[in-house]
Amino acid sequence: RTRIPTRPRATALPPTPTATPTIPPAPLCPNPGARITSPGVNQVVSGQLNIRGTARIDQFQFYKLEYGLGENPQQWNSIGEVHGTAVIDDVLGVWNLAGFPSGAAWVRLTVVDISGNFPAPCDLRVVIR
């Protein structure tokens, strides 16, 4: 018997992996009723920043968003008004970053109950560009 040489079969190349954008993780907030879900930790931000999350605890009274500039803010300033309506996984507020210096900044969410008590705030580090 004579073997007849065969041509090698064309093999399909493996698909080229596509870059999947990485989404920075949400901060590890101690209380699920006071949680920021977006932006993510150390995310680079600019323009109009939608801050998303949950602000809803037992006997909810209000929540507020604040920002502090630098790695260890010595001063916290309000982002918008105090909000008297609980929010579940939605926009908590909008921070207009126009005119802010580039660099590290922190966003803080504090949710307060009707007796004035509040769980530990949820703090999130971002980078302004």
Side-chain angles (χ1 to χ4, degrees):
R1 243 190 248 183
T2 305
R3 293 186 65 104
I4 299 173
T6 58
R7 281 187 265 172
R9 291 186 186 187
T11 56
L13 295 175
T16 304
T18 56
T20 303
T22 57
I23 299 171
L28 298 174
C29 300
N31 186 309
R35 177 154 300 181
I36 297 171
T37 56
S38 177
V41 174
N42 296 319
Q43 185 169 335
V44 176
V45 296
S46 62
Q48 296 282 335
L49 177 63
N50 285 328
I51 302 166
R52 296 182 62 90
T54 295
R56 182 174 180 247
I57 59 174
D58 289 340
Q59 299 184 9
F60 173 91
Q61 182 180 12
F62 68 88
Y63 74 90
K64 63 181 178 175
L65 288 168
E66 298 171 293
Y67 71 88
L69 300 177
E71 289 299 342
N72 297 300
Q74 301 301 308
Q75 179 179 349
W76 293 91
N77 302 288
S78 293
I79 299 173
E81 302 295 320
V82 169
H83 302 269
T85 303
V87 173
I88 300 172
D89 195 27
D90 205 349
V91 175
L92 296 165
V94 179
W95 185 16
N96 181 354
L97 295 166
F100 279 88
S102 293
W106 290 82
V107 177
R108 173 173 283 173
L109 168 64
T110 305
V111 185
V112 181
D113 71 17
I114 59 175
S115 63
N117 294 318
F118 53 91
C122 178
D123 291 340
L124 165 70
R125 183 185 187 276
V126 294
V127 179
I128 299 172
R129 290 277 165 174

